Amino acid sequence: MIQIKDLNVKLSGFSLHDIDLTVERGEFFTLLGPTGAGKTVVLESVIGIIPVEKGRIYINNKEVTNLPPEKRNIGIVYQDHALFPHLTVYKNITYGLRYHKINGKEPGKNLSFIIDRLSLVPLLERSVINLSGGEKQKVALARALAVDPSVLLLDEPLSALDPNFREDTREILKRLHVETGITILMVTHDFTEAHFLAQRTAVINNGRIEQIGSIPEVFHKPSTPFVAKFVGMKNIFPAIFNGNKAQIGKLAIKTNSLINGSKKYIAIRPEDIHISTEKQSLPERNSIKGTVSKILNHGFYCDVSIETFYIKFTAIIPSNSPVTMNLAEENSVYISFDPADVHVL
Amino acid sequence: MTAKKHIDPFIWLAVSSSIIIIAFILFPLIEMVAQPSFADLMDTIKDKDVISSIWLSLYTSGTAALISFIFGTPFAYLLARKDFAGKKIIESIIDLPIMIPHPVIGIAILSIAGQNHWLGQIISSIGIRIMGSVTGIIVVLTFVGLPFYVNTVKAGFESIPSRLENVSRSLGASITDTFFRVTFPLAWRSMVVGMIMCTARAVSEFGAVVIVAYHPMIAPVMIYERFTAYGLKYSQPVAVWLIIVCLFLFLLLRIFSVQKKHSP
């Protein structure tokens, strides 16, 4: 279990502000945020590399705020693996064993289990220098797990891997978490990874936590425009609210929300916007006429920009749809979306 | 008909400059090495005074490098790994011996090592003599050689990602264990290079040594003495032997500079 209470860190040119976070025992928790948001600073504060200006850190209910890293029993895996280049795979994995009594279990037993689970047996005597990215990441994982840490911190462990290895390593991480039951705090900028691996997540931006919640909650009910944008909501507009309607300029949009005075924005996921060439006769839905201003093909899908009342909506459609729908730039189309899909922020 | 290959004027400029620089360095040295006869060279190397002065140069320079290794390594580590107030000033202080005219270094050392200074009195009271002694030469050579060691090793430490040390400590190793199990095995090559740089710099020192210890005579002082007393013909062979020693040291430097590629 990791408890971070009111954590403040001041570095030259960057600060963490009032970070409050609890990762429950055995939980897989992700800390999401863009590059430079402060994710790694949080991890390195927890591990004891970066000094804490204010606040407390607890690992399994024991305060570790002022303990040196070697006394915290926290494992860390970095994106760049940080393997010791002068040691073999086996010596990397067993590096920390001499400092740890493995809680009554034989160190070798724990070690064999990890090496076996990560399929590292054929690599043990090899130098780490010539391993592939995926192999290096597995060695880094094995090294961190070999000392039976109280918690495991993962710093974007999948980002540097090519897509095939990334999926494999993601599966391995999930399986290891289930099999070992270890508490994991992983930082990532990829919401898909969080979706696949974690139970809960926190979104961090500019050194502040923007939202903490379950993955579906953060995905479907972002609490700030930043989180909405981060989880892929491309249609975020400032609005004035009147009853259950949001007014954006001359455009009135139906919502399903009971709106209080503090809300200022609406957000709609691009995949929730339906495009048609003819007006839909579904009065409960929002239906707006607009002009296609841009079609951007991403391979498997297309981003379609539709302008109406000087507002630009973005919708996602399959990449073959522009052909089947006979859709082209400058065409007049109708967009429609359910009031339930209008998120009020 | 083949198309004429166009070479950019900047490449011409770069190549011409390189040729001029190489000629500028090599021409006087080659001339000096070529002028003494083989018999003169062999006679010189049989001269006990020459051998002892070259040996003294190597011994004092090597000791200066060893002292730099012992005290300079932790200092270089601190500069490479820690940010603290006044770090830029400390780094500038380290470079001072490179910038100060060398006789001034000799005078500065004498000014604190003499009987008129409290430090000189303490040193003297415990039986250490600086003026005109091997100890004095080692002090001077350490003074001029230290910046080369510290700067080289600092760059070596900086090239090792601090994340390796973070991981080591997260696995239970103390700072000391981490240094000896991770940092040192990855940085020893830069320490060897630093020691060679320091030794090479110390071997060539004349200005500061001549103020502090004319005797016992290191090789550069002997070359100077033979030049002023007997002329070019008698100083050249000693200089040639010193150049051969320096060349050997720099050859070692180049060999150790070629590092294996590590991917951390």
Side-chain angles (χ1 to χ4, degrees), chain A residues 8-78:
Chain A
N8 283 264
V9 170
K10 198 165 185 173
L11 303 171
S12 59
F14 182 80
S15 298
L16 281 185
H17 305 279
D18 310 322
I19 305 291
D20 275 297
L21 203 65
T22 300
V23 182
E24 299 296 341
R25 195 182 287 264
E27 186 180 18
F28 200 127
F29 190 97
T30 51
L31 186 57
L32 274 166
T35 305
K39 307 183 295 290
T40 302
V41 178
V42 172
L43 284 200
E44 294 196 332
S45 304
V46 172
I47 206 162
I49 300 297
I50 293 176
V52 169
E53 190 186 50
K54 191 181 143 210
R56 288 164 191 267
I57 298 164
Y58 298 85
I59 301 295
N60 291 344
N61 297 318
K62 179 189 166 195
E63 189 176 355
V64 298
T65 318
N66 297 314
L67 289 180
E70 59 268 30
K71 303 280 182 202
R72 296 191 182 201
N73 196 27
I74 299 172
I76 187 160
V77 175
Y78 283 111

Side-chain angles (χ1 to χ4, degrees), chain B residues 45-253:
Chain B
I45 203 64
K46 284 174 192 161
D47 184 339
K48 282 183 181 170
D49 287 344
V50 172
I51 293 171
S52 69
S53 73
I54 290 178
W55 164 246
L56 184 63
S57 271
L58 291 180
Y59 167 72
T60 50
S61 302
T63 309
L66 196 66
I67 293 169
S68 300
F69 167 73
I70 293 165
F71 292 98
T73 304
F75 182 52
Y77 183 78
L78 194 73
L79 289 177
R81 283 289 182 257
K82 301 288 175 192
D83 282 321
F84 51 86
K87 186 176 169 182
K88 290 277 172 213
I89 295 169
I90 300 280
E91 284 171 337
S92 303
I93 291 170
I94 275 294
D95 288 337
L96 270 181
I98 300 171
M99 295 180 276
I100 298 174
H102 293 181
V104 177
I105 293 171
I107 290 165
I109 287 173
L110 272 192
S111 65
I112 58 157
Q115 285 295 324
N116 296 329
H117 194 274
W118 60 267
L119 187 62
Q121 288 163 7
I122 293 171
I123 290 168
S124 179
S125 70
I126 55 173
I128 296 172
R129 195 160 60 91
I130 299 293
M131 183 78 179
S133 71
V134 172
T135 312
I137 297 171
I138 292 170
V139 170
V140 169
L141 298 188
T142 306
F143 194 95
V144 297
L146 248 175
F148 291 88
Y149 181 81
V150 170
N151 288 334
T152 306
V153 177
K154 177 176 162 252
F157 285 139
E158 282 170 344
S159 70
I160 300 167
S162 55
R163 284 185 168 186
L164 298 184
E165 293 169 354
N166 298 347
V167 168
S168 166
R169 294 190 67 195
S170 77
L171 293 167
S174 63
I175 294 177
T176 312
D177 274 2
T178 296
F179 182 82
F180 285 107
R181 293 187 70 196
V182 175
T183 319
F184 185 82
L186 295 173
W188 70 268
R189 213 175 279 269
S190 69
M191 291 174 203
V192 173
V193 172
M195 286 178 78
I196 293 169
M197 291 277 279
C198 180
T199 308
R201 173 66 191 84
V203 160
S204 63
E205 180 55 33
F206 168 75
V209 176
V210 85
I211 301 275
V212 174
Y214 196 92
H215 289 282
M217 222 176 259
I218 59 166
V221 177
M222 173 169 274
I223 294 164
Y224 175 71
E225 194 207 44
R226 293 207 169 180
F227 175 70
T228 50
Y230 309 109
L232 198 60
K233 188 177 183 319
Y234 288 89
S235 63
Q236 270 178 334
V238 188
V240 169
W241 283 110
L242 188 62
I243 285 173
I244 291 168
V245 169
C246 289
L247 205 62
F248 178 69
L249 283 171
F250 276 100
L251 200 65
L252 277 181
L253 168 72

Side-chain angles (χ1 to χ4, degrees), chain A residues 117-235:
Chain A
R117 276 291 181 272
L118 291 166
S119 312
L120 289 170
V121 176
L123 306 177
L124 289 178
E125 294 311 315
R126 278 178 61 182
S127 159
V128 297
I129 294 170
N130 301 319
L131 299 180
S132 70
E135 288 168 338
K136 282 181 180 173
Q137 202 56 280
K138 286 199 281 185
V139 177
L141 258 175
R143 180 179 61 181
L145 289 171
V147 297
D148 196 19
S150 306
V151 298
L152 183 62
L153 309 183
L154 306 174
D155 184 9
E156 307 214 24
L158 308 173
S159 303
L161 306 179
D162 66 46
N164 293 337
F165 277 129
R166 197 178 302 159
E167 278 186 26
D168 288 349
T169 312
R170 207 165 62 180
E171 295 279 354
I172 289 166
L173 274 178
K174 185 145 191 160
R175 202 178 64 212
L176 272 177
H177 176 243
V178 171
E179 288 176 351
T180 59
I182 192 169
T183 308
I184 296 178
L185 170 58
M186 178 171 108
V187 307
T188 177
H189 61 260
D190 187 338
F191 198 85
T192 318
E193 288 173 9
H195 219 283
F196 183 82
L197 291 164
Q199 285 108 37
R200 288 192 309 139
T201 192
V203 180
I204 187 170
N205 183 36
N206 286 331
R208 291 180 195 277
I209 299 277
E210 295 256 345
Q211 188 175 358
I212 301 176
S214 68
I215 297 288
E217 190 182 332
V218 172
F219 191 70
H220 292 293
K221 292 180 182 170
S223 61
T224 67
F226 173 80
V227 177
K229 197 172 176 187
F230 194 78
V231 299
M233 289 191 177
K234 295 192 176 181
N235 304 289

Side-chain angles (χ1 to χ4, degrees), chain A residues 259-271:
Chain A
I259 300 157
N260 68 41
S262 67
K263 302 294 184 186
K264 291 178 182 169
Y265 294 86
I266 63 161
I268 307 153
R269 301 197 73 84
E271 61 268 31

Side-chain angles (χ1 to χ4, degrees), chain A residues 96-113:
Chain A
L97 287 185
R98 70 166 73 168
Y99 307 107
H100 291 264
K101 290 174 185 168
I102 311 289
N103 300 338
K105 282 185 265 174
E106 284 174 44
K109 199 177 169 187
N110 194 32
L111 197 63
S112 318
F113 169 77

